[in-house]
């Protein structure tokens, strides 16, 4: 175990589990993660390896004996008959039979119906009436010659979820972790490896948890396939339900007028609409009207009087184009059904509190899944559910003031997202001013993404200045990352998109303390300071350094971290940039000052020799030296033409990408790699200037 694993085991004993154990026990069982972790939490919530191995075998045995596979349902039914009583793990849905005035259960995998359930059980677990609940049950079999008598008898039923929760103990334990540690704990708890994500990506993943802790929160996520958009809503919590796009009906979501039965929004904390995108789909207009009213007013009315509900709505869909294409030809909502983009449907989009940029999420790879310890997911689900009773939306008011032209609806989206993130990260409310500002900016960006796209669709939406003021009177603008990457397309309307490709839309006014060039071009040759956001694409060494390297005959690079393979590859790509920007007949001397690798110095030297040999053939004379004291920290590039380029991250500006895959463009072209957050300062150090 690493230090974080040890710490979470110390402060949350019996409530955490090693996340790779789910794979070890799942086998071919089609069962949600929270069901498996419920069992693992009973037998493997420990750091003792021997106990874990024994627990794994116990859980495997329980699943083998009691989990009902559909293709083995007949065998299980036979076991119940022969033994008289048998324990099963299955998904159960209950309906009221008005003819007999009795509740009847249906077992999804076991394939039996009309099993009688007493009213007390329904009162205790009302979710059985809608959507189905995974349960551990004892079933009995008693044959009767009366054809109207069902032989199956439900003797006990226990939904698979946490039975109790100590909120005060949770707050005390949370205070033992730093913010970075806590974010990583949460990432591991939802099954992700925090080392594979940057700060912005971590927060984006955690926004998916806001609907669980914030009542009536409306979230949309659009992005490519394979990024894990629906996983958290189908596997993570017993309080969420995932609805296929083709199954979303008025009766299922809200109320069945024939039976009077309340729909999903009345029983679940989160209702996620999967497969929401699809431009050819034609959703029911009445459903849209009801959704629109529910998302705005937290109530619905289908002719039986107003009904209130607290379920958060999540909309998930796949995009069929990349962001530049969508911005050039239409808008980021272009893959949604036309009905949602016309005058009536826009009201639903305007009620979205945050827009998750799914295109920033990478396809999930094996190294992105956690093997460390995290909360048993039903414990985390109960934490989030208990937080729904709180409101932390005002925790930035003593530090920042939103721009006055931000509408009430925009403020509502910003405030609810901010409140949700505060609950998740700082349930004690003890965030530093810098942390509060980070969450506020993040909350504003997601709501701005919604509003900017609505303004592209319908020009009657007024322009909004998404900014806030600090207590010392300074204004700070908040832009979306798509705006930074695509300034020429971002502010076109959908009518203008793709009409006149020669028209270049002016970049919006930026905050006075931060400037960025359009990433498609290199920066102008002058003194300046540039800031780049995490996950920003379109950045390359050519763009950053090319203009400043032209004409140079001597270049000195100071970077203490040119040791590991990816760092060495970065430096090789820097040499490639020099080759691209020098005249073929010229020679350039490149000198590297770095620190010798403590453990693999011989391999480091060997790689430098290979670079030297390769560069020499192209007119680049590469030399290097190691700082003997090993104390250098500065990272910069100095040219004999009088320029010094200071880099807060050195050449290490790119996030992880698969270097061994020759068939990914991120491997071949730097501009397709997401960046880390970094800053560059260009200084003219020519003597006498």
């Amino acid at each position: 175990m690493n230090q974080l694993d040890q710490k979470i085991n110390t402060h949350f004993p019996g409530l955490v589990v090693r996340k790779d154990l789910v794979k070890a026990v799942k086998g071919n069982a089609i069962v949600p993660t929270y069901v498996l972790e419920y069992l693992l939490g009973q037998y493997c919530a420990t750091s003792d390896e021997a106990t874990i191995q024994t627990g794994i075998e116990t859980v495997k045995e329980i699943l083998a004996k009691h989990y009902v596979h559909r293709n083995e349902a007949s065998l299980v039914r036979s076991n119940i008959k022969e033994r008289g009583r048998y324990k099963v793990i299955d998904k159960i849905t209950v309906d009221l039979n008005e003819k007999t005035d009795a509740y009847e259960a249906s077992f999804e995998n076991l394939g039996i119906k009309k099993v009688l359930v007493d009213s007390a059980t329904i009162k205790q677990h009302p979710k059985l009436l809608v959507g189905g609940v995974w349960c551990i049950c004892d079933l009995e079999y008693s044959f009767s010659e009366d054809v109207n008598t069902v032989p199956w008898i439900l003797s006990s039923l226990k939904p698979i979820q946490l039975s109790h929760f100590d909120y005060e103990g949770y707050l005390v334990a949370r205070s033992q972790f730093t913010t970075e540690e806590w974010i990583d704990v949460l990432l591991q708890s939802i099954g992700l490896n925090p080392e594979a994500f940057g700060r912005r990506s971590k927060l984006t993943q955690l926004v998916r948890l806001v609907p669980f802790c914030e009542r009536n929160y409306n979230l949309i996520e659009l992005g490519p396939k394979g990024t894990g958009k629906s996983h958290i809503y189908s596997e993570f919590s017993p309080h969420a339900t995932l609805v296929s796009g083709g199954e979303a009906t008025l009766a299922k979501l809200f109320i069945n007028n024939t039976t009077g039965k309340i729909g999903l929004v009345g029983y679940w904390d989160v209702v996620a609409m999967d497969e929401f995108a699809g431009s050819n789909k034609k959703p029911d207009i009445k459903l849209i009207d009801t959704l629109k009213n529910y998302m705005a007013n937290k109530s619905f009315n289908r002719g039986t009087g107003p009904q209130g509900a607290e379920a958060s709505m999540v909309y998930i869909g796949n995009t069929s184009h990349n962001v530049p294409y969508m911005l050039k030809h239409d808008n980021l909502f272009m893959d949604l059904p036309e009905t949602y983009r016309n005058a009536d449907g826009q009201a639903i989009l305007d009620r979205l509190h945050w827009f998750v940029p799914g295109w920033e999420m990478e396809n999930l790879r094996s190294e992105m899944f956690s093997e460390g310890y995290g909360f048993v997911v039903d414990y985390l689900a109960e934490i989030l559910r208990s937080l729904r009773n709180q409101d932390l939306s005002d925790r930035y008011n003593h530090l920042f003031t939103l721009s006055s032209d931000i509408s009430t609806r925009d403020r509502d989206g910003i405030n609810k997202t901010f409140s949700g993130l505060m609950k998740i990260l700082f349930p004690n409310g003890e965030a530093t001013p810098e942390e509060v500002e980070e969450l506020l900016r993040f909350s504003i960006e997601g709501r701005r993404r919604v509003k900017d796209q609505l303004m592209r669709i319908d020009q009657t939406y007024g322009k909004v200045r998404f900014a806030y003021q600090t207590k010392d009177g300074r204004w700070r603008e908040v832009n979306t990352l798509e705006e930074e990457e695509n300034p020429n397309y971002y502010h076109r309307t959908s009518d203008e998109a793709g009409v006149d490709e020669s028209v270049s839309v002016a970049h919006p006014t930026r905050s006075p303390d931060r400037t960025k060039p359009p990433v498609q071009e290199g920066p102008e040759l002058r003194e300046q300071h540039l800031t780049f956001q995490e996950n920003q694409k379109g950045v390359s060494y050519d763009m950053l350094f090319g203009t400043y390297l032209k004409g140079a005959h001597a270049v000195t690079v100071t970077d203490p971290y040119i040791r590991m393979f990816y760092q060495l590859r970065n430096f090789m790509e820097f040499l490639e940039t020099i080759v691209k920007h020098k005249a073929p007949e010229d020679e350039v001397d490149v000198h590297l000052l770095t620190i010798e690798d403590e453990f693999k110095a011989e391999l480091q030297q060997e790689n430098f020799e290979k670079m030297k040999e390769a560069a020499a053939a192209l007119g680049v004379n590469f030399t290097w030296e190691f700082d003997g004291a090993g104390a250098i920290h500065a990272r910069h590039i100095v040219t004999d033409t009088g320029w010094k380029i200071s880099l807060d991250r050195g050449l290490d500006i790119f996030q992880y990408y698969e270097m061994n895959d020759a068939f990914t463009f991120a491997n071949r072209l730097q501009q397709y790699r997401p960046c880390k957050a970094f800053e560059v300062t260009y200084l003219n150090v020519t003597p006498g200037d």
Side-chain angles (χ1 to χ4, degrees):
M1 291 194 297
N2 61 29
Q3 185 175 357
L4 183 62
D5 290 336
Q6 294 173 353
K7 196 167 185 177
I8 190 174
N9 270 281
T10 299
H11 295 289
F12 291 96
L15 297 170
V16 297
V17 67
R18 220 176 68 205
K19 290 296 172 171
D20 60 329
L21 299 184
V22 172
K23 293 180 182 179
V25 301
K26 187 164 188 175
N28 62 350
I30 306 174
V31 58
T33 297
Y34 69 82
V35 174
L36 296 176
E37 290 201 12
Y38 174 86
L39 296 172
L40 290 169
Q42 306 296 308
Y43 300 98
C44 302
T46 175
S47 59
D48 180 69
E49 190 62 32
T51 304
I52 288 174
Q53 293 305 318
T54 302
I56 288 175
E57 295 307 314
T58 302
V59 173
K60 284 182 176 179
E61 183 179 353
I62 290 172
L63 288 173
K65 287 185 177 180
H66 303 293
Y67 172 74
V68 180
H69 294 268
R70 290 187 180 182
N71 58 350
E72 297 177 352
S74 295
L75 177 60
V76 176
R77 291 197 297 268
S78 174
N79 284 337
I80 299 171
K81 176 184 182 301
E82 297 302 325
R83 299 188 183 191
R85 182 186 179 101
Y86 195 73
K87 190 181 297 291
V88 299
I89 299 174
D90 201 352
K91 189 175 184 180
I92 299 173
T93 304
V94 176
D95 282 302
L96 174 63
N97 186 333
E98 295 90 347
K99 294 180 180 179
T100 62
D101 190 32
Y103 291 106
E104 297 176 345
S106 299
F107 288 67
E108 185 172 290
N109 291 347
L110 191 57
I112 61 175
K113 300 179 178 180
K114 298 185 176 181
V115 181
L116 296 180
V117 182
D118 63 274
S119 296
T121 299
I122 299 303
K123 289 178 181 179
Q124 188 176 3
H125 308 294
K127 284 184 183 176
L128 290 166
L129 291 169
V130 57
V133 176
W134 283 89
C135 303
I136 299 176
C137 306
D138 282 306
L139 274 174
E140 298 179 4
Y141 182 87
S142 178
F143 178 74
S144 172
E145 293 184 358
D146 184 352
V147 294
N148 294 319
T149 301
V150 177
W152 309 103
I153 301 170
L154 182 65
S155 58
S156 72
L157 178 149
K158 181 182 180 183
I160 293 178
Q161 57 192 74
L162 198 70
S163 59
H164 68 280
F165 170 59
D166 178 10
Y167 182 68
E168 293 302 321
Y170 164 74
L171 292 181
V172 171
R174 161 63 184 97
S175 65
Q176 304 302 312
F177 293 79
T178 66
T179 301
E180 285 293 337
E181 288 174 336
W182 189 247
I183 289 174
D184 289 354
V185 165
L186 294 172
L187 260 288
Q188 290 188 175
S189 296
I190 59 176
L192 298 175
N193 176 13
E195 294 182 2
F197 299 88
R199 176 77 167 208
R200 177 183 172 89
S201 295
K202 290 177 182 179
L203 289 178
T204 305
Q205 292 285 352
L206 295 181
V207 165
R208 291 171 170 171
L209 300 181
V210 174
F212 292 92
C213 68
E214 195 73 25
R215 290 190 178 100
N216 301 103
Y217 185 78
N218 306 319
L219 183 72
I220 189 168
E221 179 171 357
L222 302 176
K225 298 178 181 178
T227 56
K229 293 186 291 294
S230 61
H231 171 81
I232 204 164
Y233 306 107
S234 62
E235 300 277 330
F236 166 73
S237 171
H239 305 306
T241 185
L242 184 69
V243 183
S244 172
E247 298 176 2
T249 64
L250 269 171
K252 183 167 186 175
L253 285 176
F254 294 103
I255 190 169
N256 188 319
N257 280 346
T258 302
T259 64
K261 181 179 177 182
I262 299 295
L264 298 174
V265 298
Y267 291 93
W268 298 91
D269 291 350
V270 181
V271 177
M273 308 272 282
D274 200 7
E275 304 165 13
F276 187 64
S279 56
N280 296 325
K281 292 183 178 180
K282 295 183 178 180
D284 182 2
I285 297 297
K286 292 182 179 179
L287 174 61
I288 289 179
D289 288 339
T290 307
L291 273 172
K292 177 175 61 178
N293 292 328
Y294 173 70
M295 291 168 65
N297 305 317
K298 308 172 188 176
S299 65
F300 56 92
N301 190 340
R302 293 207 62 212
T304 58
Q307 301 274 352
E310 298 180 353
S312 295
M313 298 298 300
V314 178
Y315 302 93
I316 305 164
N318 293 327
T319 53
S320 52
H321 304 283
N322 63 23
V323 170
Y325 180 96
M326 289 190 282
L327 292 176
K328 179 180 179 181
H329 295 281
D330 206 334
N331 58 79
L332 298 179
F333 288 131
M334 68 179 292
D335 284 302
L336 297 185
E338 177 64 30
T339 316
Y340 288 104
R341 290 179 283 141
N342 63 25
D344 291 329
Q346 288 172 25
I348 285 184
L349 302 182
D350 195 21
R351 286 158 171 76
L352 295 169
H353 297 127
W354 217 81
F355 188 159
V356 179
W359 44 84
E360 290 188 33
M361 307 284 198
E362 294 185 70
N363 284 2
L364 293 176
R365 306 179 301 270
S366 59
E367 67 272 11
M368 299 172 75
F369 293 102
S370 175
E371 294 183 353
Y373 282 82
F375 295 129
V376 177
V377 289
D378 63 325
Y379 174 70
L380 181 55
E382 292 304 319
I383 291 172
L384 297 175
R385 191 177 203 206
S386 68
L387 292 171
R388 289 169 79 87
N389 296 321
Q390 300 184 27
D391 179 12
L392 302 184
S393 60
D394 62 347
R395 297 305 173 93
Y396 67 84
N397 291 343
H398 66 293
L399 296 169
F400 309 106
T401 304
L402 295 181
S403 170
S404 60
D405 65 344
I406 294 179
S407 69
T408 300
R409 187 164 288 164
D410 293 328
R411 286 173 185 269
D412 188 43
I414 293 167
N415 288 340
K416 287 179 77 70
T417 304
F418 177 82
S419 175
L421 289 172
M422 281 292 292
K423 293 178 194 178
I424 292 168
L425 298 181
F426 307 103
N428 288 313
E430 298 176 355
T432 66
E434 293 76 20
E435 290 167 337
V436 169
E437 183 174 15
E438 178 184 29
L439 297 190
L440 179 61
R441 292 186 65 87
F442 200 66
S443 302
I444 294 173
E445 181 188 344
R447 175 57 192 178
R448 176 169 185 172
R449 185 172 291 110
V450 173
K451 199 59 171 285
D452 283 355
Q453 301 315 302
L454 284 171
M455 288 190 290
R456 289 173 66 95
I457 296 172
D458 185 349
Q459 288 73 60
T460 61
Y461 282 97
K463 291 188 176 181
V464 181
R465 184 190 185 196
F466 283 91
Y468 58 94
Q469 189 178 32
T470 63
K471 287 305 176 184
D472 59 5
R474 289 184 298 163
W475 282 98
R476 294 179 178 172
E477 308 283 337
V478 178
N479 301 318
T480 67
L481 184 55
E482 302 83 56
E483 180 179 2
E484 304 290 356
E485 292 180 337
N486 305 278
N488 292 337
Y489 297 132
Y490 190 81
H491 292 280
R492 290 184 177 186
T493 65
S494 293
D495 291 339
E496 295 170 333
V499 174
D500 182 2
E501 297 183 14
S502 66
V503 175
S504 177
V505 178
H507 202 283
T509 303
R510 298 183 181 276
S511 55
D513 59 342
R514 190 165 65 98
T515 59
K516 291 181 187 175
V519 295
Q520 295 87 347
E521 305 171 3
E524 181 184 346
L525 190 64
R526 60 183 176 85
E527 289 192 331
Q528 57 187 308
H529 178 77
L530 305 179
T531 302
F532 296 86
Q533 292 189 48
E534 182 181 323
N535 289 344
Q536 185 167 343
K537 293 183 180 179
V539 181
S540 67
Y541 292 165
D542 289 346
M543 184 274 284
L544 289 174
F545 311 132
T547 307
Y548 291 86
L549 292 174
K550 285 182 179 178
H553 291 87
V555 178
T556 300
V557 180
T558 302
D559 190 332
Y561 301 106
I562 309 294
R563 312 173 194 173
M564 301 178 69
F565 177 77
Y566 77 91
Q567 296 166 340
L568 292 162
R569 172 162 171 161
N570 285 341
F571 190 79
M572 185 65 186
E573 290 181 340
F574 176 75
L575 294 178
E576 290 174 9
T577 300
I578 291 177
V579 170
K580 291 177 187 177
H581 290 88
K582 79 174 189 65
E585 65 275 14
D586 290 344
E587 289 192 348
V588 179
D589 296 327
V590 179
H591 185 69
L592 170 66
L593 176 62
T594 189
I595 293 177
E596 188 174 34
D597 192 314
E598 183 178 358
F599 302 102
K600 296 183 178 180
E602 186 175 336
L603 179 60
Q604 185 184 23
Q605 289 268 18
E606 181 182 332
N607 287 323
F608 284 157
E609 290 289 351
K610 290 178 180 178
M611 288 186 198
K612 179 179 181 178
E613 182 178 349
L618 299 176
V620 175
N621 305 312
F622 171 46
T623 58
W624 66 93
E625 67 175 300
F626 297 119
D627 177 64
I632 59 172
H633 298 288
R635 307 181 196 185
H636 52 248
I637 300 166
V638 178
T639 71
D640 63 345
T641 54
W643 288 101
K644 179 177 181 179
I645 307 172
S646 295
L647 304 160
D648 64 338
R649 284 189 175 274
L651 297 176
D652 185 15
I653 65 171
F654 300 112
Q655 294 198 50
Y656 175 87
Y657 62 95
E658 185 50 68
M659 294 183 184
N660 296 321
D661 188 348
F663 302 104
T664 61
F665 285 100
N667 189 358
R668 313 297 302 173
L669 299 169
Q670 290 181 330
Q671 60 264 39
Y672 293 108
R673 302 171 192 167
C675 286
K676 300 175 181 178
F678 71 100
E679 299 181 7
V680 185
T681 303
Y682 302 86
L683 300 172
N684 190 331
V685 293
T686 304
D689 284 8

